Amino acid sequence: MTAPMDFIRYRVEDSNGEFIDEFTTNSPDFADERIERLRTFYPRLVVTETDDED
């Protein structure tokens, strides 16, 4: 029996609420790297994390 993998969905918007990116991963390190890369272009990001139930 395998353990279920918990994925998190990340929705990234700028400070005005404009959609920038959305992705799902089970690796917090990957998410942090991707978000930091986006901060290079959009320094004031709003990131929402939710469980990915798909």
Side-chain angles (χ1 to χ4, degrees), residues 18-44:
E18 184 175 334
F19 173 80
I20 304 294
D21 192 16
E22 186 171 63
F23 60 95
T24 301
T25 185
N26 65 341
S27 171
D29 292 337
F30 171 79
D32 289 343
E33 289 176 20
R34 186 163 174 169
I35 292 166
E36 285 309 310
R37 206 171 327 127
L38 289 169
R39 284 189 200 283
T40 304
F41 303 101
Y42 306 96
R44 296 172 59 197

Side-chain angles (χ1 to χ4, degrees), residues 4-11 22-27 48-54:
M5 295 182 72
D6 295 326
F7 285 85
I8 301 293
R9 179 175 303 275
Y10 296 84
R11 181 174 174 86
E22 186 171 63
F23 60 95
T24 301
T25 185
N26 65 341
S27 171
T48 305
E49 299 177 21
T50 57
D51 288 336
D52 187 39
E53 307 265 338
D54 295 338

